[in-house]
Each structure stands twice: as C-alpha cells, then as structure tokens.
Amino acid sequence: MGLTMKQWRLVKGLTQDYMAARCEVHRNTYADWEENPDKVPVRKALIIADTFGESINDVFFSADTLQNVE
C-alpha cells in the first residue's frame, strides 16, 4: 500500500501552507485535496509530486488502486 498525500507531506517535512503556496491555492483547497486526492487537477498533481521529489504514480496511484484498473 502506498502513502497518502498527507503521509508524503509529513515524511518530507512540509506544511500544508507550504504546499498550498507551491500549488498557488488556498490552504483549505490543499487540505481538501489531501482528503480527496481524486479532486486534484493534473497540473497541480504534477507540482505536488515534483515538490515531494517523487513520481506522480507513486504519490497518486498505490498498488491497490492500480490492481482495480481494468
């Protein structure tokens, strides 16, 4: 099972305020994305993954998620 967006952020030692600034959105929007990652626009998902220093697949698609894709 992969890490959640929140877990990635905490592992990297980043705050929601920092991530929101990187994505150029309000902190509440970023907080909502952590709870509902399927709402993250692709352009913002790329920024998030880049900020974490990880691939978009590692951040947004866990092995469990990919098993359910037909």
Side-chain angles (χ1 to χ4, degrees):
M1 179 180 222
L3 299 177
T4 65
M5 278 179 58
K6 181 177 181 177
Q7 290 169 330
W8 276 113
R9 179 177 56 76
L10 294 174
V11 165
K12 302 298 181 172
L14 305 172
T15 66
Q16 285 184 339
D17 287 324
Y18 177 80
M19 292 303 299
R22 290 276 295 149
C23 293
E24 299 179 337
V25 297
H26 193 276
R27 188 194 63 77
N28 290 345
T29 300
Y30 183 83
D32 182 54
W33 290 347
E34 284 191 351
E35 295 297 318
N36 302 289
D38 56 316
K39 292 184 178 181
V40 180
V42 173
R43 185 171 288 158
K44 302 301 184 180
L46 290 168
I47 292 169
I48 291 167
D50 182 63
T51 302
F52 292 162
E54 303 293 336
S55 76
I56 195 168
N57 287 335
D58 288 342
V59 175
F60 289 93
F61 303 102
S62 70
D64 295 336
T65 302
L66 293 175
Q67 286 179 355
N68 296 325
V69 176
E70 293 183 20

Short mmCIF file of all heavy atoms in Angstrom, two decimals:
data_model
loop_
_atom_site.label_atom_id
_atom_site.label_comp_id
_atom_site.label_asym_id
_atom_site.label_seq_id
_atom_site.Cartn_x
_atom_site.Cartn_y
_atom_site.Cartn_z
N MET A 1 0.84 -1.18 0.00
CA MET A 1 0.00 0.00 0.00
C MET A 1 0.89 1.25 0.00
O MET A 1 1.85 1.33 0.73
CB MET A 1 -0.92 -0.01 1.22
CG MET A 1 -1.80 1.19 1.32
SD MET A 1 -2.84 1.10 2.79
CE MET A 1 -4.35 1.68 2.09
N GLY A 2 0.53 2.24 -0.83
CA GLY A 2 1.30 3.46 -0.93
C GLY A 2 0.94 4.45 0.16
O GLY A 2 -0.03 4.29 0.89
N LEU A 3 1.73 5.49 0.25
CA LEU A 3 1.46 6.55 1.21
C LEU A 3 0.37 7.48 0.69
O LEU A 3 0.21 7.65 -0.51
CB LEU A 3 2.73 7.37 1.44
CG LEU A 3 3.94 6.64 2.01
CD1 LEU A 3 5.12 7.60 2.11
CD2 LEU A 3 3.64 6.04 3.36
N THR A 4 -0.35 8.10 1.60
CA THR A 4 -1.33 9.11 1.22
C THR A 4 -0.59 10.43 0.98
O THR A 4 0.58 10.58 1.35
CB THR A 4 -2.37 9.33 2.33
OG1 THR A 4 -1.70 9.87 3.49
CG2 THR A 4 -3.09 8.03 2.68
N MET A 5 -1.27 11.39 0.37
CA MET A 5 -0.67 12.71 0.17
C MET A 5 -0.20 13.29 1.50
O MET A 5 0.89 13.85 1.59
CB MET A 5 -1.67 13.68 -0.47
CG MET A 5 -1.80 13.56 -1.95
SD MET A 5 -3.02 14.72 -2.63
CE MET A 5 -2.39 16.30 -2.11
N LYS A 6 -1.02 13.17 2.52
CA LYS A 6 -0.65 13.71 3.84
C LYS A 6 0.60 13.02 4.37
O LYS A 6 1.51 13.67 4.88
CB LYS A 6 -1.81 13.55 4.82
CG LYS A 6 -1.49 14.10 6.20
CD LYS A 6 -2.67 13.99 7.13
CE LYS A 6 -2.33 14.58 8.49
NZ LYS A 6 -3.48 14.56 9.40
N GLN A 7 0.65 11.69 4.24
CA GLN A 7 1.82 10.97 4.71
C GLN A 7 3.07 11.38 3.94
O GLN A 7 4.14 11.56 4.54
CB GLN A 7 1.58 9.46 4.59
CG GLN A 7 0.56 8.94 5.58
CD GLN A 7 0.12 7.52 5.28
OE1 GLN A 7 0.10 7.08 4.13
NE2 GLN A 7 -0.25 6.79 6.33
N TRP A 8 2.97 11.53 2.62
CA TRP A 8 4.11 12.01 1.82
C TRP A 8 4.57 13.36 2.34
O TRP A 8 5.76 13.61 2.52
CB TRP A 8 3.75 12.12 0.34
CG TRP A 8 3.86 10.85 -0.44
CD1 TRP A 8 2.84 10.15 -1.00
CD2 TRP A 8 5.05 10.13 -0.75
NE1 TRP A 8 3.34 9.04 -1.65
CE2 TRP A 8 4.68 9.01 -1.51
CE3 TRP A 8 6.41 10.33 -0.46
CZ2 TRP A 8 5.62 8.09 -1.98
CZ3 TRP A 8 7.33 9.42 -0.94
CH2 TRP A 8 6.94 8.31 -1.68
N ARG A 9 3.60 14.27 2.55
CA ARG A 9 3.94 15.62 3.00
C ARG A 9 4.66 15.58 4.35
O ARG A 9 5.68 16.25 4.53
CB ARG A 9 2.66 16.47 3.11
CG ARG A 9 2.92 17.89 3.60
CD ARG A 9 1.66 18.71 3.62
NE ARG A 9 0.57 18.17 4.41
CZ ARG A 9 0.50 18.20 5.74
NH1 ARG A 9 1.47 18.74 6.45
NH2 ARG A 9 -0.54 17.69 6.36
N LEU A 10 4.15 14.77 5.27
CA LEU A 10 4.77 14.68 6.59
C LEU A 10 6.15 14.04 6.53
O LEU A 10 7.08 14.51 7.20
CB LEU A 10 3.85 13.90 7.54
CG LEU A 10 2.52 14.59 7.88
CD1 LEU A 10 1.64 13.67 8.70
CD2 LEU A 10 2.75 15.92 8.58
N VAL A 11 6.31 13.01 5.72
CA VAL A 11 7.62 12.36 5.55
C VAL A 11 8.65 13.37 5.02
O VAL A 11 9.81 13.36 5.43
CB VAL A 11 7.51 11.13 4.61
CG1 VAL A 11 8.87 10.67 4.13
CG2 VAL A 11 6.77 10.00 5.30
N LYS A 12 8.20 14.23 4.13
CA LYS A 12 9.10 15.23 3.53
C LYS A 12 9.28 16.45 4.42
O LYS A 12 10.07 17.34 4.10
CB LYS A 12 8.58 15.66 2.15
CG LYS A 12 8.42 14.52 1.16
CD LYS A 12 9.74 13.84 0.85
CE LYS A 12 9.54 12.72 -0.15
NZ LYS A 12 10.80 12.14 -0.61
N GLY A 13 8.54 16.53 5.54
CA GLY A 13 8.68 17.63 6.48
C GLY A 13 8.10 18.95 5.99
O GLY A 13 8.61 20.01 6.34
N LEU A 14 7.04 18.87 5.21
CA LEU A 14 6.43 20.06 4.63
C LEU A 14 5.09 20.36 5.29
O LEU A 14 4.43 19.48 5.80
CB LEU A 14 6.23 19.85 3.12
CG LEU A 14 7.50 19.47 2.34
CD1 LEU A 14 7.15 19.09 0.91
CD2 LEU A 14 8.50 20.60 2.39
N THR A 15 4.70 21.63 5.26
CA THR A 15 3.42 22.04 5.83
C THR A 15 2.37 22.18 4.73
O THR A 15 2.71 22.33 3.55
CB THR A 15 3.54 23.40 6.55
OG1 THR A 15 3.84 24.41 5.58
CG2 THR A 15 4.61 23.36 7.63
N GLN A 16 1.10 22.18 5.15
CA GLN A 16 0.03 22.45 4.19
C GLN A 16 0.16 23.85 3.62
O GLN A 16 -0.10 24.06 2.44
CB GLN A 16 -1.34 22.28 4.85
CG GLN A 16 -1.74 20.85 5.06
CD GLN A 16 -3.14 20.70 5.61
OE1 GLN A 16 -3.71 21.62 6.20
NE2 GLN A 16 -3.71 19.53 5.43
N ASP A 17 0.57 24.80 4.43
CA ASP A 17 0.76 26.17 3.94
C ASP A 17 1.80 26.22 2.83
O ASP A 17 1.61 26.88 1.82
CB ASP A 17 1.17 27.11 5.08
CG ASP A 17 0.03 27.43 6.03
OD1 ASP A 17 -1.13 27.54 5.56
OD2 ASP A 17 0.29 27.57 7.24
N TYR A 18 2.91 25.51 3.03
CA TYR A 18 3.96 25.48 2.01
C TYR A 18 3.45 24.85 0.73
O TYR A 18 3.66 25.38 -0.37
CB TYR A 18 5.19 24.72 2.54
CG TYR A 18 6.27 24.60 1.51
CD1 TYR A 18 7.14 25.66 1.26
CD2 TYR A 18 6.43 23.43 0.76
CE1 TYR A 18 8.13 25.56 0.30
CE2 TYR A 18 7.40 23.33 -0.21
CZ TYR A 18 8.26 24.39 -0.44
OH TYR A 18 9.23 24.29 -1.40
N MET A 19 2.77 23.71 0.86
CA MET A 19 2.26 23.02 -0.32
C MET A 19 1.22 23.86 -1.05
O MET A 19 1.21 23.91 -2.29
CB MET A 19 1.68 21.66 0.06
CG MET A 19 2.72 20.66 0.55
SD MET A 19 4.04 20.35 -0.64
CE MET A 19 3.11 19.69 -2.03
N ALA A 20 0.36 24.53 -0.31
CA ALA A 20 -0.64 25.39 -0.93
C ALA A 20 0.03 26.51 -1.71
O ALA A 20 -0.38 26.83 -2.83
CB ALA A 20 -1.57 25.96 0.14
N ALA A 21 1.07 27.10 -1.14
CA ALA A 21 1.79 28.16 -1.83
C ALA A 21 2.44 27.63 -3.11
O ALA A 21 2.39 28.30 -4.16
CB ALA A 21 2.85 28.77 -0.91
N ARG A 22 3.03 26.44 -3.04
CA ARG A 22 3.65 25.84 -4.24
C ARG A 22 2.61 25.61 -5.34
O ARG A 22 2.92 25.75 -6.52
CB ARG A 22 4.32 24.51 -3.90
CG ARG A 22 5.56 24.62 -3.06
CD ARG A 22 6.79 24.91 -3.86
NE ARG A 22 7.08 23.77 -4.73
CZ ARG A 22 7.67 23.89 -5.91
NH1 ARG A 22 8.05 25.05 -6.36
NH2 ARG A 22 7.89 22.83 -6.65
N CYS A 23 1.40 25.24 -4.93
CA CYS A 23 0.33 24.95 -5.90
C CYS A 23 -0.47 26.20 -6.26
O CYS A 23 -1.37 26.13 -7.10
CB CYS A 23 -0.62 23.90 -5.32
SG CYS A 23 0.14 22.28 -5.13
N GLU A 24 -0.16 27.32 -5.59
CA GLU A 24 -0.87 28.58 -5.82
C GLU A 24 -2.37 28.44 -5.57
O GLU A 24 -3.20 28.86 -6.38
CB GLU A 24 -0.58 29.13 -7.22
CG GLU A 24 0.89 29.41 -7.44
CD GLU A 24 1.21 29.93 -8.82
OE1 GLU A 24 0.43 29.70 -9.78
OE2 GLU A 24 2.26 30.58 -8.96
N VAL A 25 -2.70 27.80 -4.43
CA VAL A 25 -4.09 27.67 -4.00
C VAL A 25 -4.16 28.01 -2.51
O VAL A 25 -3.15 28.10 -1.82
CB VAL A 25 -4.64 26.23 -4.23
CG1 VAL A 25 -4.65 25.88 -5.70
CG2 VAL A 25 -3.87 25.19 -3.43
N HIS A 26 -5.37 28.20 -2.01
CA HIS A 26 -5.59 28.45 -0.59
C HIS A 26 -5.28 27.17 0.19
O HIS A 26 -5.46 26.06 -0.31
CB HIS A 26 -7.05 28.88 -0.37
CG HIS A 26 -7.28 29.44 0.99
ND1 HIS A 26 -7.52 28.65 2.08
CD2 HIS A 26 -7.28 30.73 1.43
CE1 HIS A 26 -7.68 29.42 3.15
NE2 HIS A 26 -7.54 30.70 2.77
N ARG A 27 -4.83 27.33 1.42
CA ARG A 27 -4.50 26.16 2.25
C ARG A 27 -5.70 25.23 2.40
O ARG A 27 -5.56 24.01 2.40
CB ARG A 27 -4.00 26.58 3.64
CG ARG A 27 -3.47 25.37 4.43
CD ARG A 27 -3.28 25.67 5.90
NE ARG A 27 -4.52 26.00 6.56
CZ ARG A 27 -5.46 25.10 6.92
NH1 ARG A 27 -5.31 23.83 6.65
NH2 ARG A 27 -6.54 25.50 7.54
N ASN A 28 -6.90 25.80 2.50
CA ASN A 28 -8.10 24.96 2.62
C ASN A 28 -8.29 24.07 1.39
O ASN A 28 -8.75 22.94 1.51
CB ASN A 28 -9.34 25.81 2.84
CG ASN A 28 -9.36 26.46 4.21
OD1 ASN A 28 -8.62 26.08 5.11
ND2 ASN A 28 -10.21 27.46 4.37
N THR A 29 -7.96 24.60 0.22
CA THR A 29 -8.06 23.80 -1.01
C THR A 29 -7.08 22.64 -0.95
O THR A 29 -7.44 21.50 -1.24
CB THR A 29 -7.79 24.67 -2.25
OG1 THR A 29 -8.75 25.72 -2.30
CG2 THR A 29 -7.84 23.85 -3.53
N TYR A 30 -5.85 22.93 -0.55
CA TYR A 30 -4.86 21.86 -0.44
C TYR A 30 -5.28 20.82 0.60
O TYR A 30 -5.18 19.61 0.36
CB TYR A 30 -3.46 22.40 -0.12
CG TYR A 30 -2.46 21.28 -0.09
CD1 TYR A 30 -1.91 20.81 -1.26
CD2 TYR A 30 -2.15 20.63 1.09
CE1 TYR A 30 -1.05 19.72 -1.25
CE2 TYR A 30 -1.30 19.54 1.11
CZ TYR A 30 -0.75 19.09 -0.06
OH TYR A 30 0.08 18.01 -0.05
N ALA A 31 -5.79 21.29 1.73
CA ALA A 31 -6.26 20.37 2.78
C ALA A 31 -7.36 19.46 2.25
O ALA A 31 -7.39 18.27 2.54
CB ALA A 31 -6.73 21.15 4.01
N ASP A 32 -8.26 20.03 1.46
CA ASP A 32 -9.33 19.23 0.85
C ASP A 32 -8.74 18.18 -0.09
O ASP A 32 -9.21 17.05 -0.12
CB ASP A 32 -10.31 20.14 0.10
CG ASP A 32 -11.46 19.36 -0.52
OD1 ASP A 32 -12.14 18.61 0.22
OD2 ASP A 32 -11.68 19.49 -1.74
N TRP A 33 -7.72 18.54 -0.83
CA TRP A 33 -7.08 17.58 -1.74
C TRP A 33 -6.48 16.41 -0.98
O TRP A 33 -6.49 15.28 -1.46
CB TRP A 33 -6.00 18.25 -2.57
CG TRP A 33 -6.50 19.21 -3.60
CD1 TRP A 33 -7.78 19.36 -4.06
CD2 TRP A 33 -5.71 20.15 -4.32
NE1 TRP A 33 -7.83 20.35 -5.01
CE2 TRP A 33 -6.57 20.84 -5.20
CE3 TRP A 33 -4.36 20.48 -4.31
CZ2 TRP A 33 -6.11 21.84 -6.05
CZ3 TRP A 33 -3.91 21.47 -5.17
CH2 TRP A 33 -4.77 22.14 -6.02
N GLU A 34 -5.93 16.68 0.21
CA GLU A 34 -5.36 15.58 1.00
C GLU A 34 -6.45 14.59 1.39
O GLU A 34 -6.19 13.39 1.47
CB GLU A 34 -4.64 16.10 2.25
CG GLU A 34 -3.30 16.70 1.94
CD GLU A 34 -2.46 16.98 3.17
OE1 GLU A 34 -2.97 16.88 4.32
OE2 GLU A 34 -1.28 17.32 3.00
N GLU A 35 -7.64 15.08 1.63
CA GLU A 35 -8.76 14.21 1.99
C GLU A 35 -9.40 13.58 0.75
O GLU A 35 -9.99 12.50 0.84
CB GLU A 35 -9.82 15.00 2.77
CG GLU A 35 -9.35 15.50 4.11
CD GLU A 35 -8.99 14.39 5.07
OE1 GLU A 35 -9.74 13.39 5.12
OE2 GLU A 35 -7.96 14.51 5.76
N ASN A 36 -9.31 14.26 -0.38
CA ASN A 36 -9.95 13.81 -1.63
C ASN A 36 -8.97 13.96 -2.79
O ASN A 36 -9.13 14.85 -3.64
CB ASN A 36 -11.20 14.66 -1.91
CG ASN A 36 -12.19 14.59 -0.77
OD1 ASN A 36 -12.82 13.57 -0.56
ND2 ASN A 36 -12.32 15.68 -0.03
N PRO A 37 -7.94 13.12 -2.84
CA PRO A 37 -6.91 13.29 -3.88
C PRO A 37 -7.44 13.15 -5.31
O PRO A 37 -6.79 13.63 -6.24
CB PRO A 37 -5.88 12.21 -3.55
CG PRO A 37 -6.57 11.26 -2.65
CD PRO A 37 -7.66 12.01 -1.95
N ASP A 38 -8.59 12.54 -5.47
CA ASP A 38 -9.17 12.42 -6.82
C ASP A 38 -9.64 13.77 -7.35
O ASP A 38 -9.91 13.90 -8.55
CB ASP A 38 -10.30 11.41 -6.84
CG ASP A 38 -11.40 11.72 -5.84
OD1 ASP A 38 -11.08 12.07 -4.69
OD2 ASP A 38 -12.58 11.61 -6.20
N LYS A 39 -9.69 14.80 -6.51
CA LYS A 39 -10.10 16.14 -6.93
C LYS A 39 -8.93 17.00 -7.39
O LYS A 39 -9.13 18.12 -7.85
CB LYS A 39 -10.81 16.86 -5.78
CG LYS A 39 -12.15 16.28 -5.41
CD LYS A 39 -12.80 17.13 -4.34
CE LYS A 39 -14.18 16.60 -3.99
NZ LYS A 39 -14.82 17.44 -2.95
N VAL A 40 -7.70 16.50 -7.26
CA VAL A 40 -6.52 17.29 -7.62
C VAL A 40 -6.41 17.38 -9.13
O VAL A 40 -6.33 16.34 -9.81
CB VAL A 40 -5.23 16.67 -7.03
CG1 VAL A 40 -4.02 17.50 -7.42
CG2 VAL A 40 -5.34 16.51 -5.52
N PRO A 41 -6.39 18.61 -9.69
CA PRO A 41 -6.17 18.73 -11.14
C PRO A 41 -4.79 18.18 -11.52
O PRO A 41 -3.84 18.27 -10.74
CB PRO A 41 -6.23 20.24 -11.38
CG PRO A 41 -6.92 20.81 -10.18
CD PRO A 41 -6.60 19.89 -9.04
N VAL A 42 -4.69 17.64 -12.71
CA VAL A 42 -3.44 17.00 -13.15
C VAL A 42 -2.26 17.96 -13.04
O VAL A 42 -1.18 17.58 -12.57
CB VAL A 42 -3.57 16.45 -14.59
CG1 VAL A 42 -2.24 15.96 -15.11
CG2 VAL A 42 -4.61 15.35 -14.63
N ARG A 43 -2.44 19.20 -13.47
CA ARG A 43 -1.34 20.18 -13.41
C ARG A 43 -0.85 20.36 -11.98
O ARG A 43 0.36 20.44 -11.73
CB ARG A 43 -1.80 21.50 -14.00
CG ARG A 43 -0.68 22.52 -14.09
CD ARG A 43 -1.09 23.74 -14.86
NE ARG A 43 -1.17 23.37 -16.27
CZ ARG A 43 -1.87 24.02 -17.18
NH1 ARG A 43 -2.56 25.08 -16.85
NH2 ARG A 43 -1.89 23.63 -18.43
N LYS A 44 -1.76 20.39 -11.03
CA LYS A 44 -1.39 20.55 -9.62
C LYS A 44 -0.79 19.25 -9.07
O LYS A 44 0.13 19.28 -8.24
CB LYS A 44 -2.59 20.97 -8.78
CG LYS A 44 -3.23 22.28 -9.22
CD LYS A 44 -2.27 23.45 -9.20
CE LYS A 44 -3.00 24.74 -9.57
NZ LYS A 44 -2.15 25.91 -9.57
N ALA A 45 -1.27 18.11 -9.54
CA ALA A 45 -0.71 16.82 -9.11
C ALA A 45 0.75 16.72 -9.51
O ALA A 45 1.58 16.19 -8.76
CB ALA A 45 -1.52 15.67 -9.70
N LEU A 46 1.07 17.23 -10.68
CA LEU A 46 2.47 17.23 -11.14
C LEU A 46 3.34 18.10 -10.23
O LEU A 46 4.47 17.72 -9.90
CB LEU A 46 2.56 17.70 -12.59
CG LEU A 46 1.99 16.72 -13.61
CD1 LEU A 46 1.85 17.40 -14.98
CD2 LEU A 46 2.85 15.48 -13.72
N ILE A 47 2.81 19.25 -9.82
CA ILE A 47 3.55 20.13 -8.91
C ILE A 47 3.76 19.45 -7.56
O ILE A 47 4.85 19.50 -6.99
CB ILE A 47 2.81 21.47 -8.73
CG1 ILE A 47 2.82 22.26 -10.04
CG2 ILE A 47 3.42 22.29 -7.59
CD1 ILE A 47 1.89 23.46 -10.05
N ILE A 48 2.72 18.81 -7.07
CA ILE A 48 2.80 18.12 -5.77
C ILE A 48 3.85 17.01 -5.82
O ILE A 48 4.72 16.93 -4.96
CB ILE A 48 1.42 17.57 -5.36
CG1 ILE A 48 0.47 18.74 -5.04
CG2 ILE A 48 1.53 16.61 -4.17
CD1 ILE A 48 -1.00 18.35 -4.94
N ALA A 49 3.77 16.17 -6.83
CA ALA A 49 4.73 15.06 -6.96
C ALA A 49 6.15 15.60 -7.08
O ALA A 49 7.08 15.08 -6.44
CB ALA A 49 4.36 14.19 -8.15
N ASP A 50 6.34 16.65 -7.88
CA ASP A 50 7.66 17.25 -8.05
C ASP A 50 8.18 17.81 -6.73
O ASP A 50 9.35 17.63 -6.40
CB ASP A 50 7.60 18.34 -9.12
CG ASP A 50 8.96 18.95 -9.38
OD1 ASP A 50 9.85 18.21 -9.84
OD2 ASP A 50 9.13 20.16 -9.12
N THR A 51 7.31 18.47 -5.97
CA THR A 51 7.71 19.03 -4.68
C THR A 51 8.13 17.93 -3.72
O THR A 51 9.08 18.09 -2.95
CB THR A 51 6.56 19.86 -4.07
OG1 THR A 51 6.22 20.90 -5.00
CG2 THR A 51 6.97 20.48 -2.74
N PHE A 52 7.45 16.80 -3.78
CA PHE A 52 7.82 15.65 -2.93
C PHE A 52 9.07 14.94 -3.45
O PHE A 52 9.64 14.10 -2.76
CB PHE A 52 6.68 14.64 -2.87
CG PHE A 52 5.44 15.11 -2.12
CD1 PHE A 52 4.24 14.46 -2.30
CD2 PHE A 52 5.47 16.18 -1.25
CE1 PHE A 52 3.09 14.86 -1.63
CE2 PHE A 52 4.34 16.60 -0.57
CZ PHE A 52 3.14 15.94 -0.76
N GLY A 53 9.46 15.24 -4.70
CA GLY A 53 10.61 14.54 -5.29
C GLY A 53 10.27 13.12 -5.67
O GLY A 53 11.14 12.24 -5.66
N GLU A 54 9.01 12.89 -6.00
CA GLU A 54 8.52 11.54 -6.32
C GLU A 54 7.79 11.57 -7.65
O GLU A 54 7.45 12.63 -8.16
CB GLU A 54 7.56 11.06 -5.22
CG GLU A 54 8.13 11.04 -3.82
CD GLU A 54 9.24 10.01 -3.63
OE1 GLU A 54 9.28 9.02 -4.38
OE2 GLU A 54 10.06 10.22 -2.72
N SER A 55 7.51 10.39 -8.19
CA SER A 55 6.74 10.33 -9.43
C SER A 55 5.25 10.51 -9.10
O SER A 55 4.81 10.21 -7.99
CB SER A 55 6.94 8.98 -10.13
OG SER A 55 6.21 7.96 -9.47
N ILE A 56 4.52 10.99 -10.08
CA ILE A 56 3.08 11.17 -9.90
C ILE A 56 2.41 9.82 -9.59
O ILE A 56 1.48 9.75 -8.80
CB ILE A 56 2.43 11.87 -11.11
CG1 ILE A 56 1.04 12.37 -10.76
CG2 ILE A 56 2.47 11.00 -12.34
CD1 ILE A 56 0.45 13.32 -11.76
N ASN A 57 2.92 8.75 -10.19
CA ASN A 57 2.36 7.42 -9.91
C ASN A 57 2.55 7.02 -8.46
O ASN A 57 1.64 6.46 -7.84
CB ASN A 57 3.00 6.36 -10.83
CG ASN A 57 2.51 6.47 -12.24
OD1 ASN A 57 1.42 6.96 -12.51
ND2 ASN A 57 3.33 6.01 -13.17
N ASP A 58 3.73 7.29 -7.91
CA ASP A 58 4.00 6.92 -6.52
C ASP A 58 3.12 7.70 -5.55
O ASP A 58 2.70 7.17 -4.53
CB ASP A 58 5.47 7.13 -6.17
CG ASP A 58 6.37 6.11 -6.83
OD1 ASP A 58 5.87 5.05 -7.27
OD2 ASP A 58 7.59 6.37 -6.91
N VAL A 59 2.84 8.96 -5.86
CA VAL A 59 2.07 9.81 -4.95
C VAL A 59 0.57 9.55 -5.08
O VAL A 59 -0.13 9.49 -4.07
CB VAL A 59 2.38 11.30 -5.19
CG1 VAL A 59 1.49 12.18 -4.32
CG2 VAL A 59 3.85 11.60 -4.92
N PHE A 60 0.09 9.37 -6.31
CA PHE A 60 -1.36 9.34 -6.51
C PHE A 60 -1.95 7.97 -6.82
O PHE A 60 -3.15 7.80 -6.79
CB PHE A 60 -1.76 10.34 -7.61
CG PHE A 60 -1.63 11.76 -7.14
CD1 PHE A 60 -0.47 12.47 -7.36
CD2 PHE A 60 -2.65 12.36 -6.44
CE1 PHE A 60 -0.33 13.77 -6.91
CE2 PHE A 60 -2.53 13.66 -5.98
CZ PHE A 60 -1.37 14.36 -6.21
N PHE A 61 -1.10 7.00 -7.14
CA PHE A 61 -1.62 5.68 -7.50
C PHE A 61 -0.90 4.60 -6.72
O PHE A 61 0.24 4.28 -7.02
CB PHE A 61 -1.46 5.43 -9.01
CG PHE A 61 -2.13 6.45 -9.85
CD1 PHE A 61 -1.39 7.45 -10.47
CD2 PHE A 61 -3.50 6.44 -10.02
CE1 PHE A 61 -2.01 8.43 -11.25
CE2 PHE A 61 -4.14 7.40 -10.80
CZ PHE A 61 -3.38 8.40 -11.41
N SER A 62 -1.57 4.05 -5.73
CA SER A 62 -0.98 2.97 -4.96
C SER A 62 -1.12 1.66 -5.73
O SER A 62 -1.90 1.56 -6.67
CB SER A 62 -1.67 2.84 -3.60
OG SER A 62 -2.99 2.35 -3.76
N ALA A 63 -0.41 0.65 -5.32
CA ALA A 63 -0.53 -0.67 -5.95
C ALA A 63 -1.96 -1.18 -5.83
O ALA A 63 -2.49 -1.81 -6.75
CB ALA A 63 0.45 -1.65 -5.30
N ASP A 64 -2.63 -0.88 -4.70
CA ASP A 64 -4.01 -1.31 -4.51
C ASP A 64 -4.93 -0.67 -5.55
O ASP A 64 -5.81 -1.31 -6.10
CB ASP A 64 -4.51 -0.94 -3.11
CG ASP A 64 -3.77 -1.70 -2.02
OD1 ASP A 64 -3.23 -2.79 -2.30
OD2 ASP A 64 -3.73 -1.20 -0.89
N THR A 65 -4.71 0.62 -5.81
CA THR A 65 -5.52 1.34 -6.79
C THR A 65 -5.31 0.75 -8.18
O THR A 65 -6.27 0.53 -8.92
CB THR A 65 -5.16 2.84 -6.80
OG1 THR A 65 -5.36 3.36 -5.50
CG2 THR A 65 -6.01 3.60 -7.80
N LEU A 66 -4.08 0.50 -8.55
CA LEU A 66 -3.77 0.01 -9.89
C LEU A 66 -4.32 -1.39 -10.12
O LEU A 66 -4.65 -1.75 -11.24
CB LEU A 66 -2.26 0.06 -10.14
CG LEU A 66 -1.66 1.46 -10.21
CD1 LEU A 66 -0.14 1.37 -10.34
CD2 LEU A 66 -2.25 2.25 -11.35
N GLN A 67 -4.45 -2.20 -9.09
CA GLN A 67 -5.00 -3.54 -9.24
C GLN A 67 -6.46 -3.49 -9.66
O GLN A 67 -6.94 -4.41 -10.30
CB GLN A 67 -4.89 -4.32 -7.93
CG GLN A 67 -3.49 -4.77 -7.62
CD GLN A 67 -3.42 -5.52 -6.31
OE1 GLN A 67 -4.38 -5.63 -5.58
NE2 GLN A 67 -2.24 -6.06 -6.01
N ASN A 68 -7.16 -2.41 -9.32
CA ASN A 68 -8.58 -2.30 -9.63
C ASN A 68 -8.85 -1.70 -11.00
O ASN A 68 -10.00 -1.60 -11.40
CB ASN A 68 -9.28 -1.47 -8.55
CG ASN A 68 -9.24 -2.14 -7.20
OD1 ASN A 68 -9.30 -3.36 -7.12
ND2 ASN A 68 -9.13 -1.37 -6.15
N VAL A 69 -7.80 -1.29 -11.71
CA VAL A 69 -7.96 -0.69 -13.03
C VAL A 69 -8.06 -1.82 -14.06
O VAL A 69 -7.23 -2.73 -14.07
CB VAL A 69 -6.78 0.24 -13.37
CG1 VAL A 69 -6.89 0.76 -14.79
CG2 VAL A 69 -6.73 1.39 -12.38
N GLU A 70 -9.07 -1.76 -14.90
CA GLU A 70 -9.23 -2.81 -15.92
C GLU A 70 -8.66 -2.37 -17.24
O GLU A 70 -8.65 -1.27 -17.61
CB GLU A 70 -10.72 -3.12 -16.09
CG GLU A 70 -11.28 -3.75 -14.85
CD GLU A 70 -12.73 -4.13 -15.03
OE1 GLU A 70 -13.21 -4.27 -16.16
OE2 GLU A 70 -13.39 -4.29 -14.00
#
